[in-house]
Each structure stands twice: as structure tokens, then as C-alpha cells.
Amino acid sequence: MFHQIPDPVFGSLVLSAVVATLPLAVLFALLGVARVRAWTASLVALVLSAALAIFVWRMPPLQALSSMAEGALYGIVPILWILVNALWVYQLTVQTGWFAVLGERIRVVSRDERVLAIVIAFCFGALLESLAGFGAPVAISVGMLIAAGMKPLKAAIVSLLANTAPVAFGAMAAPIIALAGVTGIDTHALSQMAGRQTPFLAVLVPLILVVIVDGIRGLKETWAVAVVAGLAFAISQFVTANFIAVEITDVVASIVTLLVVLVVLRFWKPASSDSSGAAGSAAGGAADESSGEVSIERTTLGAMPKAGRGVAGDRSEWSRTRLTWYAVLPYVVIVTIFAVSQVPSVKEFLSRATTVALPWPGLDITDSAGTPVPTVFSVNIVGNGGTLLLLAGMIVACVYRVSFRGALAAYGATLRQLRFTIITVMTVLALAYVMNLSGQTQNLGAALATTGALFALLSPTIGWVGVAITGSDTSSNALFGMLQVTAAEKAGLSPVLMAATNSSAGVLGKMLSPQNLAVAAAAAGIVGKEGELFRKLLWWSLGLLLVFTGLVCLQSTVLAWMVPAV
């Protein structure tokens, strides 16, 4: 049996906490300063953390290796199982040409850049975030905005800032699922709490986008559609995260918002749209289809195969309604499948019949108080979000008439695209499990808890820094989720609130992460101007972080009724 030591470094909590930060400090230094690739940096941090666990925290070597293996497996199932299948569905839409059709349908909505910033970057970007994530929403939004006539630098800034509100529930809620895995808190409770935080950001983001595009004039002339978009997204996100299913939160929110905005635009047009810099020229305003499709192909996973080109090209006699329905089909299928899986009787059956729970071998741990640490690995095989996405992908492939070989090739392309992401996620989760099970994270949390109630001020910044450095809300939650919980428990704060805050506040750091900046600059054709993007976005990011910190402080005190009971 391994008994976690609360202060292994000369009996000092402070010194122990300083030593415990070394793997994270090395990880961040390699990512942010040395610009080492994420998978390499996380591997180095993992080796250092394991060495500290064995030689400083006196964890038996076999238990350290076993904890690494458990973390890596949790990275595969359910997180990577969800990511791979979600991106596979997205890949099918790209390769059959229906993604380009969806882009065309959206780009003909308006010639006003301010409206397009909301429709493309905010609504459509959130839809992409719900499935693809990991830079795809930014890259594709940039390409579409440029094709619609927006200047490259502005398109990059708009796309980066828009990629905030949906991130906590992105990639089929991978960040929330990872957070639940490392903290042991119920996934639904974390979903509820995040669903009571990120909607406040969603209300603000569309307003900021129109200011970026056209200044105060843009705000005065398009505030109505911006407010409608923000409220529609916020309400949909709140309802889905709290009462339906965490995995489809962004899918529902983005589709509902897009439909609401389209309805509003049928009856209302912003003033002076022809002079707002809003793609006024015929070439820009017409959203040249050929240039748009080139941009999309260039920034997505791969070129369309011949079968895909045939599907996309053989639609000259199709009505616009039919084209639109086929283009949105994958998202309708996904929402339907997840909705059915959440029917109480179905959910109970899947949970009872297909859940496997196994005591993880080689781990026998008690915390510093002598309480056994749970080490049971549990997974719902059929009811898992990844399996449901696999089923959705099969249905989409059949409807789109993709051959078995073509679907398999798309799956292979997805795995190749994610090969380094797969290594990174497995390594980061292994690092998180080693730090958590060895007691390193608890030492850090105990040290931060000495700030007392002031920890509510620090909690959002921790999440913000984690995402700004790693570029991933999932990775930040894996690294800092348990730290937030430990500090909250010792400071007398809600663990659910602080854990969810790590994810919700972390999204505000994504626009500044080196990975996202590089993706946006490459997609916009302004490589080398990442520093300019950073400077223009920094104050927006810090301002939103300040507002969000105020919200968290209120939720920890006078708004404590917003925190779900566990």
C-alpha cells in the first residue's frame, strides 16, 4: 500500500508545493518559451513527474507506472474515442462536399461583415467546435470570412475571439469529461455548473465581434442581431448542459442560434450595411463560391476524393431547401441519437447492460488522512459518446452514399490527422494521474488553499493560464482540475464551482495560445504576424477574464444558489 505524504520535502508544505510545480513549469516552459511540440513537452513533463513521485513522494515504481497506464487509457476511452469519431463525422462531410455546401448556404445569408462575423465565426464556428475542435473552427472560419471579403488580419482576430464560449463543451464535451475523470466529480454536476457560467460569455462575445469589425458604429447598427445571437446561444447552452446531455451542448446551441439569427435577418437588416466595410464589392460580397471552397479545402483535413466531388457537383437541379437539409443532416443525426440515448429508460438500460467497471490492477493507495483512494476504471461501452458518434457517422456515410472503403479511408485520414494529438492527450492524462495519485496535486492545492476565500480570485486565472499555454481546455482540466478541487475543499469553497471554473475561465486563454495563433495566421496567410494578433487580443482576453472572475466571486458568495448540489 502507498500512503500519500502531505509534505515530503523536509516536512514543509511550501517547499513540497514548489517541487510539485516542477513538471508543470517544465511543460509550460517547453511549450511557451522553447516552443517544443506539445507531445514532446508533455512526455518530458511526464517522465519528470514520475521521477518525483518515486524519489520524492516515495510512490512504489510499479504503482507509478500503473497510474500512468490508467491515465493513458482514460485518455483513449472516453476522450480520444469521442474526439476521433467526432472528427471522422466532420471528415465525411468534407470529403463528400457537403461541408462546402453548408458553407455556401451560410455565406449567402448576408453581405454585411458584421453579420457574417456572427453567423460564420460565432454560430458556424461553434458548430465546428462541437465536433472538430483543436484549431479547425478557427482555421475554417478565417477562410470563409476572407472568401466573403473580410481582410485577413481582421478575419483572424474575429475567428480567434469567437472561439471562446463553445470551448468548454467543445469536441463533444471532452474538456468536461476529462475534468470529471481527474476530479471524481459527477459529469452532470460539472456540466450544470459550466452551463451556468459560459452563457454569460456567450452574451458578450457577439457584441465584441461587431465592435472589432466596425467599431462603435457597428455596435449601434447591429446590436439587435448580436444580442439575439448571444441570448439564443446562452439559453440553449444553459438548457442543454443542465437538462439534456453534456455531449451535444454546443451542437444544440450553435444550430438553434444559427436558425434564430437567420429568422431575424429575414425581417431585419442592419443600417448602412453597404458601407460597413462589409464585403461591399461584387467580388467580395458575392462570397465567390470557388474561392470559398478552395479556402475550406486548404484549411481542413484533406482534399475531396472523386466520389465526394461527384456528390457535391451533381446538385444543379436540387432546391436550396434540399441542399440545406442534406448539409445539416450530420448534426440532426447526432442530436437525435444523443437525445434518444438520454431518454431515462434507454439511458438506464445502456448504463446497466453495457457499463464495465474494473478495479485498476497494481494500485493500492490511501490519502494523507488514511482514506482509500478510488482506483476503479469504469466505462459505458455502448452509451459512451464516442460509440454514439460512431453510430451517427455510419448513418451519415450511408445517407451520403459513401462506400465502406471510402468511410474507412476517411477514418484512417482522421487518425493520421490526430496522431500527435492522440499522443499528447494520452501523455497529459498520464501526467495528471501520476500527479494526482502520488499526492503532488494535493500538495499544490493545500498550498493554494492557504489563501482562503481569496482562492476564488485565483481560480479563473489558473484555468486561463493553463489553456493559454497548452492551447487545450481538455489538457488544462486534466492538469489543474484536481488542484482546483483540493484547494477549494481546504479553503471552504465549492469543489464543483472551482473545478468548473477551471474549464469555463480557461476558454478565455485559448485566443492567446501559441497553437491557435499559429493556426489563425496560417489560415489567413499572415504567417509572422502572430505577435500582432496576440497584442490585439490580449486586452479583450484580460477584460473578459476580469468580468468572469467577478462572476465566480459572486457565485462563491451571494450567488451560491447557482452552484448545483452534489
Side-chain angles (χ1 to χ4, degrees):
M1 178 177 290
F2 167 60
H3 182 73
Q4 292 177 348
I5 305 173
D7 47 7
V9 182
F10 302 116
S12 169
L13 176 63
V14 175
L15 289 177
S16 299
V18 170
V19 173
T21 62
L22 290 179
L24 300 178
V26 168
L27 174 64
F28 292 163
L30 290 175
L31 284 173
V33 180
R35 297 189 179 276
V36 173
R37 301 189 71 170
W39 70 271
T40 305
S42 57
L43 186 60
V44 172
L46 172 61
V47 172
L48 177 57
S49 178
L52 291 175
I54 295 170
F55 297 109
V56 178
W57 273 263
R58 303 168 201 171
M59 189 179 199
L62 290 180
Q63 294 213 40
L65 290 173
S66 184
S67 63
M68 290 169 58
E70 184 181 9
L73 182 59
Y74 188 82
I76 297 173
V77 182
I79 296 174
L80 286 169
W81 183 231
I82 292 173
L83 289 178
V84 170
N85 288 318
L87 205 53
W88 175 56
V89 176
Y90 166 65
Q91 175 79 304
L92 290 174
T93 67
V94 172
Q95 292 193 345
T96 56
W98 286 109
F99 176 81
V101 174
L102 182 59
E104 292 168 10
R105 293 290 88 215
I106 290 176
R107 291 200 301 274
V108 299
V109 169
S110 174
R111 297 174 60 182
D112 190 318
E113 282 187 6
R114 301 165 299 185
V115 174
L116 289 175
I118 295 173
V119 173
I120 293 176
F122 184 67
C123 300
F124 191 51
L127 186 58
L128 290 170
E129 180 67 35
S130 69
L131 286 181
F134 293 94
V138 171
I140 295 165
S141 295
V142 168
M144 293 177 69
L145 288 172
I146 293 175
M150 189 176 288
K151 293 181 180 179
L153 183 64
K154 185 182 292 185
I157 294 171
V158 165
S159 298
L160 284 164
L161 197 141
N163 192 221
T164 50
V167 169
F169 296 98
M172 288 295 166
I176 299 296
I177 293 170
L179 187 62
V182 298
T183 62
I185 298 176
D186 180 65
T187 303
H188 184 59
L190 292 172
S191 172
Q192 287 181 309
M193 189 66 252
R196 300 172 190 184
Q197 293 177 318
T198 55
F200 290 96
L201 297 176
V203 172
L204 297 176
V205 169
L207 295 169
I208 295 174
L209 294 181
V210 298
V211 170
I212 291 174
V213 173
D214 197 30
I216 298 301
R217 183 184 69 163
L219 184 62
K220 290 179 179 179
E221 295 179 351
T222 59
W223 66 269
V225 69
V227 168
V228 167
L231 288 176
F233 195 95
I235 294 171
S236 303
Q237 198 175 53
F238 167 77
V239 171
T240 310
N242 278 270
F243 305 110
I244 305 179
V246 61
E247 292 91 346
I248 60 173
T249 297
D250 280 348
V251 176
V252 173
S254 56
I255 291 176
V256 169
T257 306
L258 187 57
L259 292 175
V260 169
V261 170
L262 293 180
V263 170
V264 169
L265 291 174
R266 288 182 66 88
F267 302 98
W268 174 89
K269 299 293 181 184
S272 66
S273 61
D274 59 336
S275 61
S276 66
S281 68
D288 182 356
E289 292 186 5
S290 61
S291 63
E293 290 186 7
V294 169
S295 295
I296 292 169
E297 283 193 22
R298 177 169 58 86
T299 56
T300 50
L301 296 179
M304 274 183 222
K306 292 180 179 179
R309 294 184 192 277
V311 171
D314 189 22
R315 61 178 194 265
S316 57
E317 298 182 0
W318 286 32
S319 67
R320 286 183 295 179
T321 301
R322 186 181 181 189
L323 285 171
T324 302
W325 275 112
Y326 265 77
V328 302
L329 172 73
Y331 314 105
V332 174
V333 171
I334 289 170
V335 170
T336 302
I337 289 176
F338 273 89
V340 170
S341 73
Q342 294 304 308
V343 173
S345 57
V346 176
K347 185 176 182 179
E348 182 182 355
F349 171 76
L350 292 176
S351 178
R352 184 178 63 253
T354 67
T355 296
V356 176
L358 300 171
W360 191 258
L363 289 179
D364 190 4
I365 302 172
T366 62
D367 62 20
S368 57
T371 305
V373 176
T375 55
V376 175
F377 187 87
S378 178
V379 60
N380 187 336
I381 298 174
V382 177
N384 177 274
T387 305
L388 297 177
L389 282 167
L390 181 64
L391 174 61
M394 292 176 179
I395 294 174
V396 170
C398 290
V399 176
Y400 282 173
R401 299 180 182 179
V402 179
S403 66
F404 177 78
R405 180 178 295 181
L408 199 60
Y411 207 96
T414 301
L415 290 174
R416 287 193 298 274
Q417 173 73 13
L418 289 176
R419 60 189 183 279
F420 293 116
T421 298
I422 290 171
I423 297 173
T424 301
V425 170
M426 290 176 61
T427 307
V428 167
L429 265 296
L431 168 63
Y433 268 64
V434 170
M435 292 189 66
N436 291 344
L437 294 177
S438 67
Q440 296 173 51
T441 302
Q442 287 77 359
N443 288 158
L444 280 171
L448 288 171
T450 59
T451 60
L454 290 177
F455 181 70
L457 291 171
L458 299 176
S459 177
T461 303
I462 293 172
W464 180 82
V465 170
V467 178
I469 298 297
T470 65
S472 166
D473 203 34
T474 301
S475 297
S476 177
N477 286 347
L479 292 174
F480 293 136
M482 194 62 195
L483 183 152
Q484 297 268 16
V485 169
T486 301
E489 289 174 341
K490 293 184 180 297
L493 298 168
S494 166
V496 175
L497 173 60
M498 296 298 101
T501 294
N502 192 81
S503 189
S504 301
V507 306
L508 299 174
K510 186 150 185 153
M511 68 182 83
L512 302 178
S513 69
Q515 297 94 316
N516 250 24
L517 291 172
V519 167
I526 53 172
V527 175
K529 291 191 176 182
E530 291 87 350
E532 186 174 353
L533 289 174
F534 179 88
R535 290 189 296 273
K536 290 184 178 295
L537 288 164
L538 176 62
W539 298 111
W540 289 114
S541 180
L542 291 175
L544 288 171
L545 178 63
L546 182 62
V547 172
F548 193 87
T549 301
L551 171 65
V552 173
C553 288
L554 290 175
Q555 289 180 328
S556 68
T557 52
V558 296
L559 297 181
W561 53 268
M562 296 181 68
V563 180
V566 179

